[in-house]
Amino acid sequence: SFRANKEYKLNLPTFQSEIPTLQPEFSVEVENTKACPKYLGIIIRDIQVKESPEWLKNRLKAIGQKPINNVVDITNFVLHEFGQPLHAFDLDEIKGKKIIVKNLPSKTKFVALDNSTIELHEEDLMICDGENNGMCIAGVYGGATSGVKNSTTSIFLESAYFDPKTIRRTSTRHSLRTEAAIHFEKGIDPAVTEKALLRAVQLIAEIADGKVASKVFA
């Protein structure tokens, strides 16, 4: 039986954390550091998007998750392993070879993952490309074209800490009660942001044959 005076220790998985210091022609800029105090990302190339191995599909099914493809499944698996939401962008869809974390003008139209059109509020934090096109409502919902597809071969993998109040207001405003938003609005541990990113890198290398092609952008 549980005893309040007994110490319990969470044993997180061990993984290879060595990352090369490659610096491709790509950059990350965080304009709104209050809403996004910490933003990390990494480029992974030569990915083969395919069905996940049985062990990964079974782990996700056991917690009520529907397997999609190996890359998306890995981000969902790491979310439940570390409590850190991740998001994978198709690198070829990032115009201007740049990520900008910023707010867009009120009433800007954003086409979401389910192909619905959302009219943004000026307080909604966005992940944009180098041409200021919104690719994702930060910490809440992805876009229709920037996510991982069967044809995707390179990704920019995001791991960030977003201000809980900002995420809660955006999630409530647009009635987007996504799993990522629920985690972010409760407040995640900023200390696991990089650990979760590197864990996902390891799994993508093992399961999707991905090769790290950049430093960790921070």
Side-chain angles (χ1 to χ4, degrees), residues 33 42 61 100 105 134 141-142 154-155 161 167 175 178 189 198:
T33 55
I42 196 166
K61 289 176 183 177
I100 307 175
Y141 207 33
S154 300
I155 64 170
Y161 176 84
I167 299 302
S175 298
T178 62
D189 181 0
L198 297 180

Side-chain angles (χ1 to χ4, degrees), residues 26 44 47 49 71 87-95 99 129 135 145-157:
F26 193 90
I44 308 174
I47 289 172
V49 178
V71 176
H87 190 76
F89 295 92
D90 187 322
L91 188 66
D92 292 335
E93 298 291 341
I94 304 177
K95 297 179 181 179
I99 289 279
D129 62 22
M135 299 188 296
T145 61
S146 62
V148 174
K149 303 173 280 291
N150 289 337
S151 59
T152 298
T153 58
S154 300
I155 64 170
F156 178 85
L157 184 62

Side-chain angles (χ1 to χ4, degrees), residues 75-119:
T75 62
N76 287 332
F77 179 75
V78 173
L79 164 61
H80 291 281
E81 194 174 46
F82 283 84
Q84 168 71 54
L86 303 172
H87 190 76
F89 295 92
D90 187 322
L91 188 66
D92 292 335
E93 298 291 341
I94 304 177
K95 297 179 181 179
K97 297 181 179 181
K98 186 176 185 179
I99 289 279
I100 307 175
V101 185
K102 60 180 294 183
N103 297 79
L104 293 174
S106 179
K107 297 186 178 181
T108 297
K109 298 293 193 300
F110 170 71
V111 182
L113 187 62
D114 61 358
N115 289 313
S116 64
T117 299
I118 296 173
E119 191 172 272

Side-chain angles (χ1 to χ4, degrees), residues 179-196:
E179 195 154 17
I182 291 170
H183 276 79
F184 279 124
E185 68 182 33
K186 289 180 178 178
I188 60 172
D189 181 0
V192 306
T193 306
E194 185 171 13
K195 293 178 182 178

Side-chain angles (χ1 to χ4, degrees), residues 155-174:
I155 64 170
F156 178 85
L157 184 62
E158 165 195 289
S159 183
Y161 176 84
F162 298 116
D163 170 57
K165 292 181 180 178
T166 298
I167 299 302
R168 186 182 303 114
R169 285 195 290 264
T170 291
S171 174
T172 303
R173 183 183 296 121
H174 300 294

Side-chain angles (χ1 to χ4, degrees), residues 13-16 197-207:
T14 57
F15 49 89
Q16 175 60 259
L197 178 69
L198 297 180
R199 169 62 166 164
V201 168
Q202 178 206 28
L203 290 172
I204 290 172
E206 293 178 358
I207 297 172

